[in-house]
Amino acid sequence: MSSCDCGSHGGAGGLKSLEDALELLLTHARTVEGREEVPIARALGRVLASGVVSRITMPPWDNSAMDGYAVNSSDLVAPGVRLPISQRIPAGAAGAPLVPGTAARIFTGAPVPENADCIVIQEVCRRDGDHVVIDQPAAPGANIRRAGEDIRAGHEVLTAGTRLGPQHMGLLASVGVAEVSVYRRLKVAIFSSGDELVMPGVPLGPGQIYNSNEFTLEGLLESIGCEVIRLGIVEDTFEATCTALEAAAAQADMVMASGGVSVGEEDHIKPAVERLGSLDLWKIAIRPGKPLAFGHIGNVPFIGTPGNPVSLFVTYCLLARPFILRSQGVSGSLVPRAVSAKIDFDWMQPDKRREFARARLDLDAQGEAWVSTYRSRSSGVLSSLAWANGLAILPEGTPLRRGDSVSFIPFNELLR
Ligand code: AMP
Ligand code: MG
């Protein structure tokens, strides 16, 4: 995978480039204050607040990588050598120093006895009563896992800012760490603006649609470990928007809202956030999802996305997600990794804005990866996101032909 720089700088026609918007956002991201100790079994998805140093060496001692016989290679003078079996060392036993001229029966994970320098795998040995006949030579060091080949005592095994996955939980356990210090979960209060919205479960009246953004957003935020406070649907008035924003900022580390971010008569986010704090409204050179509102209510950051369900999704993935990860204390690059793959379509009317197309990466019969895009480009079509398995980046102003390569960001880079 290559790192996706998502194309060149400079937005079209006074628009802000994605890179500039992201950079500006990240300069405002403050890591959440507050840490807690959690047992490693409860640490999945949490972000380490301090690095973890191993107090032990792993493996603690040389051990056998296979079931077989521990011998000294100098005793394997010729194929068919017959050695007495002087001891049996299963995993969990300590074993005694190897008596010269003998073999020790040994099992995977058991400590290699002193004086032995290799393990002969059982497949090339024949048991003969209390002796073993060894049909193949073995070199010193064969089938031995060395002490410390994984980890040395005193080494930092995980650095602060690591978001813990199952592999990290296992690593922590392997060095005997039972609890880790992680940042407190980021609390994000969310609401949806729109008089047309109702909650699923009730019948639709005239002019109404279901509030889907709340659920998309909640899922997106929970998938990266946020605690979500749902404030529901907010009517399209200045007063109701101010009330919702105040309530949200009072109980959360961050506020996110969808809808009402444009500058129409029915859009109250901008004036309401400006009344309570400060706000910038950016037009970003991406499609879908042009407008993004970013501001503060007191110290609490606010991100407002367009109401169109696909625009919400794309602006969240490209802008809000990295901001939130940084606020959670995640270190390192937050740029999703894109792969390069060929497109299976012609793209002769490119947009002036960079398009993040809902796309699928599939393999053909030869195992080659091809990107296809959804039939509709409408930012209202949620079924396109359920169909897609990633976003294809179609560069601004660049016609493309079938077989040209584009960058493709798999959803698994974005939805966790
Ligand atoms: P807005 O950004 O408020 O102008 O909304 C743009 C479009 O998105 C309109 O068609 C809205 O009906 C739709 N929309 C706004 N909020 C939501 C929501 N929470 N769930 C589903 N669709 C929405
Ligand atoms: Mg609206």
Side-chain angles (χ1 to χ4, degrees):
M1 284 205 174
S2 65
S3 191
C4 141
D5 69 0
C6 301
S8 59
H9 280 249
L15 303 182
K16 201 184 243 345
S17 75
L18 178 61
E19 292 76 12
D20 289 351
L22 187 58
E23 198 184 312
L24 209 65
L25 268 182
L26 292 180
T27 59
H28 283 97
R30 301 277 165 275
T31 298
V32 64
E33 278 173 26
R35 305 165 170 214
E36 54 186 329
E37 300 291 315
V38 296
I40 56 170
R42 306 245 39 90
L44 185 65
R46 304 299 296 273
V47 182
L48 278 182
S50 19
V52 178
V53 172
S54 177
R55 292 216 211 102
I56 65 165
T57 290
M58 257 315 278
W61 12 258
D62 289 359
N63 68 96
S64 179
M66 302 291 279
D67 288 353
Y69 293 87
V71 297
N72 193 288
S73 54
S74 63
D75 288 329
L76 305 180
V77 283
V81 69
R82 191 166 174 276
L83 301 175
I85 299 169
S86 52
Q87 60 176 318
R88 188 174 185 276
I89 316 173
L98 185 70
V99 178
T102 74
R105 179 73 170 122
I106 196 165
F107 298 89
T108 305
V112 176
E114 227 179 290
N115 305 332
D117 69 356
C118 65
I119 308 297
V120 185
I121 61 172
Q122 62 191 18
E123 288 78 1
V124 300
C125 299
R126 282 173 290 142
R127 186 75 184 250
D128 179 11
D130 53 5
H131 285 64
V132 60
V133 179
I134 299 175
D135 290 326
Q136 271 180 26
N143 301 308
I144 293 178
R145 301 191 289 218
R146 292 294 177 196
E149 76 177 21
D150 187 0
I151 291 155
R152 298 245 164 227
H155 272 221
E156 190 176 52
V157 289
L158 291 174
T159 53
T162 303
R163 196 146 65 105
L164 298 171
Q167 67 277 35
H168 303 116
M169 293 161 69
L171 179 66
L172 290 164
S174 80
V175 296
V177 170
E179 280 201 340
V180 281
S181 171
V182 295
Y183 290 113
R184 181 168 72 66
R185 283 185 197 279
L186 195 76
K187 278 189 214 158
V188 185
I190 64 173
F191 65 86
S192 308
S193 290
D195 286 343
E196 71 279 34
L197 305 173
V198 291
M199 293 303 272
V202 303
L204 287 178
Q208 294 183 325
I209 59 166
Y210 289 118
N211 173 12
S212 62
N213 287 353
E214 175 172 320
F215 298 87
T216 308
L217 194 50
E218 178 164 17
L220 289 167
L221 292 167
E222 283 187 349
S223 74
I224 57 168
C226 296
E227 200 179 309
V228 179
I229 302 167
R230 290 196 281 158
L231 298 180
I233 297 163
V234 174
E235 64 180 89
D236 283 321
T237 64
F238 178 73
E239 294 70 28
T241 308
C242 286
T243 306
L245 286 167
E246 269 181 314
Q251 52 188 311
D253 301 307
M254 180 179 167
V255 179
M256 281 196 74
S258 80
V261 292
S262 301
V263 284
E265 282 165 40
E266 296 289 326
D267 297 313
H268 300 285
I269 289 287
K270 186 173 189 292
V273 180
E274 279 170 344
R275 158 73 66 87
L276 302 169
S278 57
L279 180 114
D280 281 321
L281 189 59
W282 299 335
K283 287 185 178 159
I284 301 172
I286 57 172
R287 189 196 149 109
K290 184 166 65 173
L292 185 85
F294 176 68
H296 286 89
I297 300 160
N299 292 327
V300 180
F302 169 83
I303 291 182
T305 73
N308 273 313
V310 180
S311 306
L312 158 78
F313 183 90
V314 170
T315 43
Y316 166 87
C317 288
L318 301 179
L319 292 154
R321 179 178 176 276
F323 178 85
I324 293 168
L325 290 175
R326 190 65 92 223
S327 307
Q328 287 174 321
V330 175
S331 59
S333 171
L334 301 173
V335 178
R337 274 153 302 191
V339 293
S340 176
K342 289 178 183 168
I343 52 172
D344 75 351
F345 55 92
D346 291 330
W347 188 250
M348 299 319 288
Q349 257 109 47
D351 203 274
K352 287 203 292 285
R353 293 180 272 156
R354 191 176 314 156
E355 180 134 355
F356 288 85
R358 287 141 275 175
R360 278 193 70 86
L361 185 83
D362 286 306
L363 302 182
D364 66 15
Q366 284 69 46
E368 195 172 0
W370 288 91
V371 172
S372 43
T373 54
Y374 197 68
R375 55 183 162 76
S376 162
R377 290 166 85 191
S378 162
S379 54
V381 180
L382 257 185
S383 45
S384 61
L385 284 176
W387 168 87
N389 61 15
L391 298 174
I393 305 175
L394 306 176
E396 49 277 50
T398 314
L400 299 169
R401 286 218 175 266
R402 184 186 151 81
D404 288 347
S405 289
V406 299
S407 293
F408 174 89
I409 310 172
F411 276 164
N412 59 17
E413 280 288 308
L414 298 169
L415 307 187
R416 63 191 175 93

